[in-house]
Amino acid sequence: MTDFPNGPDAQFRQFLAEGRFMLQLCGACGRHVFAPRVLCKHCGSDRLDWVAASGRATVHAATVVRQKPEKGGDYLYALMDLAEGVRMISTVVGTPPDAVRIGDRLRAEIDDTPRVVFRKEGAA
Amino acid sequence: MSMDLRSKAAVAGVGLYGLGEAPGETHMEIMARAVKAALDDAGVALAEVDGLFTTNMNNLLAGPSVAEYLGIVPRVTDATNFGGSAFVAYLQSATMAIATGLCEVALICYGSNQRTASGKLHSPVEPQPYEAPYKPRNPITAYALATARHMHDFGTTRRDLAEVAVSMRDWAQLNPDAFLRDPLSVDEVLAARMVADPLSVRDCCLVTDGGGAVVLVSEARARTLRKAPVWVRGFGVAHTHKSIMEMPELTISPAAISGPLAFDMAGVTPKDIDIVELYDAFTINPILFMEDLGFCPKGQGGRFFTEGHSRPGGRLPVNTNGGGLSCTHPGMYGVFTIIEAVQQLRGEAGARQVSDCALALVHGNGGTLASQATGILGLER
Ligand SMILES: [Zn+2]
């Protein structure tokens, strides 16, 4: 039986479990893609290689989901512009949800989930 | 050279059933009663239906399920699930089927009992692995992101959004079938409970029961109808993404693609349109769609509503039934845009009738601003 490798989806998760935030870079057109996939969404090439994400991002759009305190309280749900030119849904830690604005500069980190989250540049 | 599909099909009949609450009835029963109403309106027998165009929130295999329930064996079935835009998108596939002779009588139909069955907007369970870790409340969180970005880029305000909700309610007050008919003010919308900033509960569509059906026929069959046919002058369908994360621009929906396709086919421009019926899942939708469909410049959608053009007596009435915000929203709203347009074009809209109404634009939205379908319906061929 052929030994198939994990697909990009499982690979992304495996990297996360190892504490690494990785993105796919197309060897044919030189653009990044996200979410992980088999074919480049820009040119159709299957030459997608994993590269370390810079972790630099800005807030593209954000919403505060309103929720009763007993259900966990309000939280931030946001779309980030990564420096690599792709967008990613995530949240911001270390800053109250109401204090996050479009254009805020961010740095990525990996939390205990593990998932990629962001922290405002300069925030503790 | 592609085939000219302009006015190769006509709406022969429309039917509604169970708008609001239809307790004790299944989605299929609600749908079938709307089908009966549409067939009676058209003067067409169920046995004549040889094309079926349907989807819903309940059946994975909607085509076979609906055909079985109705007892028909269609020559052509399209049960593509584009989300709520599907029924407007079916103007395309149904016209294709009719124009090529594959069928002569096409039935577009939908029904839902989601209000009395669960009381909640029913969303299909499909893993969203790159959104789920951050607790999305789809669809509202996606629309909230698009709204926030529109405000940031163009200065749109919560007051502009509220004006959209009030415009819909003003129309609903003229429609005996509308679910919410109490007067609504901008201040009430602004004071409503926030769900996902900048959207409050009054920026969100209703959750109702309801069914709708549309019968389309060939040009030859249209000549034999007792009522004047409403011609499918043009249509366009487009989708650019599924997740809001991969939407190319949050403030430009695929209506910017589907709209021009429909106008080109119909041979008309936005200036020629008398009424607009569009899918207002959230108050940002009409703002985006009026811009993307060419009725106002990008960024000016909020102003269009604030200036009152969309309201009763305005220069371009929008959602003359009250829309998904105030009339009905049984999970998928698209079919109701066609039904309201046909009633207006035929002069059957009662107290909410728009005078001199000959050309209508209908527009469906599906998913998180993902799939868009535009149709242009007219009394002249
Ligand atoms: Zn590429």
Side-chain angles (χ1 to χ4, degrees):
Chain A
M1 207 172 102
T2 314
D3 187 21
F4 287 101
N6 281 336
D9 187 69
Q11 289 170 17
F12 178 81
R13 250 168 270 287
Q14 182 59 39
F15 286 129
L16 267 189
E18 295 166 2
R20 302 162 74 193
F21 174 21
M22 304 289 280
L23 291 172
Q24 288 175 299
L25 175 64
C26 178
C29 74
R31 298 176 71 178
H32 291 81
V33 297
F34 189 79
R37 62 227 304 142
V38 167
L39 303 179
C40 173
K41 71 181 287 183
H42 305 294
C43 76
S45 169
D46 62 357
R47 290 169 50 203
L48 293 173
D49 302 312
W50 291 105
V51 294
S54 69
R56 287 183 291 116
T58 55
V59 177
H60 185 75
T63 179
V64 179
V65 179
R66 301 297 172 180
Q67 194 173 237
K68 288 183 180 137
E70 60 268 31
K71 290 193 169 171
D74 300 344
Y75 63 92
L76 185 88
Y77 184 83
L79 188 56
M80 313 309 188
D81 278 322
L82 305 194
E84 287 81 358
V86 297
R87 295 209 184 109
M88 177 181 199
I89 290 288
S90 187
T91 193
V92 174
V93 298
T95 301
D98 281 301
V100 173
R101 297 282 176 273
I102 288 174
D104 283 351
R105 295 160 70 90
L106 310 166
R107 287 281 178 178
E109 55 189 76
I110 296 171
D111 72 4
D112 293 338
T113 309
R115 56 176 192 164
V116 176
V117 296
F118 291 83
R119 191 178 294 272
K120 277 214 229 186
E121 275 192 355
Chain B
M1 178 73 193
S2 64
M3 187 175 184
D4 179 13
L5 291 172
R6 182 195 301 178
S7 299
K8 290 295 191 292
V11 177
V14 293
L16 293 167
Y17 182 80
L19 302 192
E21 293 185 334
E25 294 182 84
T26 68
H27 75 284
M28 208 66 103
E29 291 162 356
I30 292 168
M31 178 209 72
R33 293 197 188 277
V35 167
K36 170 70 172 155
L39 291 168
D40 288 351
D41 185 47
V44 168
L46 182 57
E48 293 182 79
V49 173
D50 53 2
L52 177 63
F53 301 81
T54 192
T55 190
N56 60 50
M57 311 282 280
N58 301 75
N59 300 111
L60 189 59
L61 307 183
S65 295
V66 169
E68 173 190 273
Y69 190 81
L70 294 175
I72 60 176
V73 182
R75 170 85 191 279
V76 184
T77 299
D78 179 5
T80 307
N81 193 342
F82 283 114
S85 63
F87 309 89
V88 180
Y90 296 151
L91 291 177
Q92 174 167 285
S93 48
T95 301
M96 285 159 58
I98 288 169
T100 53
L102 281 176
C103 74
E104 188 176 33
V105 178
L107 173 65
I108 300 174
C109 57
Y110 177 73
S112 170
N113 64 345
Q114 69 171 236
R115 180 177 182 87
T116 51
S118 72
K120 293 194 296 199
L121 191 69
H122 177 92
S123 294
V125 180
E126 177 182 315
Q128 307 287 345
Y130 296 94
E131 298 182 13
Y134 308 100
K135 297 187 285 177
R137 291 250 185 94
N138 275 323
I140 190 172
T141 39
Y143 285 89
L145 292 174
T147 309
R149 189 71 203 189
H150 200 276
M151 288 175 155
H152 175 269
D153 288 357
F154 304 113
T156 301
T157 64
R158 282 200 63 217
R159 181 165 286 273
D160 294 333
L161 300 172
E163 294 278 2
V164 173
V166 169
S167 176
M168 303 311 163
R169 185 63 61 86
D170 284 358
W171 281 109
Q173 287 182 272
L174 302 173
N175 180 6
D177 285 333
F179 188 65
L180 291 182
R181 302 187 66 203
D182 299 334
L184 181 69
S185 72
V186 166
D187 287 341
E188 284 173 86
V189 180
L190 293 175
R193 177 174 61 85
M194 297 304 291
V195 182
D197 293 13
L199 300 177
S200 77
V201 67
R202 282 281 161 254
D203 291 294
C204 303
C205 62
L206 304 167
V207 177
T208 66
D209 299 337
V214 176
V215 177
L216 290 171
V217 297
S218 65
E219 186 188 347
R221 188 75 170 81
R223 302 294 178 197
T224 69
L225 302 173
R226 52 194 179 85
K227 286 187 180 177
V230 171
W231 298 98
V232 181
R233 292 275 306 253
F235 44 75
V237 180
H239 45 89
T240 54
H241 62 281
K242 167 67 169 61
S243 165
I244 200 75
M245 185 175 77
E246 302 207 33
M247 185 170 183
E249 290 292 337
L250 287 190
T251 58
I252 304 174
S253 80
I257 304 171
S258 65
L261 289 171
F263 280 117
D264 284 353
M265 187 184 294
V268 298
T269 70
K271 285 189 196 66
D272 300 314
I273 299 294
D274 298 315
I275 56 166
V276 174
E277 307 294 342
L278 50 75
Y279 195 139
D280 53 338
F282 297 91
T283 48
I284 190 64
N285 296 42
I287 290 174
L288 286 175
F289 298 154
M290 292 307 279
E291 295 169 358
D292 292 339
L293 295 168
F295 291 107
C296 61
K298 183 47 76 180
Q300 300 285 303
R303 187 168 156 188
F304 177 87
F305 286 94
T306 299
E307 289 177 350
H309 304 305
S310 62
R311 298 194 189 187
R315 68 174 165 84
L316 183 56
V318 176
N319 289 9
T320 51
N321 59 349
L325 287 162
S326 281
C327 177
T328 195
H329 190 278
M332 292 175 159
Y333 174 77
V335 73
F336 301 100
T337 65
I338 303 171
I339 294 167
E340 175 65 13
V342 168
Q343 291 184 337
Q344 288 283 351
L345 290 166
R346 284 170 163 182
E348 297 176 344
R352 66 185 188 284
Q353 180 65 48
V354 175
S355 55
D356 301 321
C357 182
L359 196 65
L361 180 141
V362 299
H363 184 80
N365 165 71
T368 50
L369 293 167
S371 69
Q372 306 293 326
T374 309
I376 294 174
L377 307 177
L379 291 176
E380 281 183 38
R381 198 162 163 257

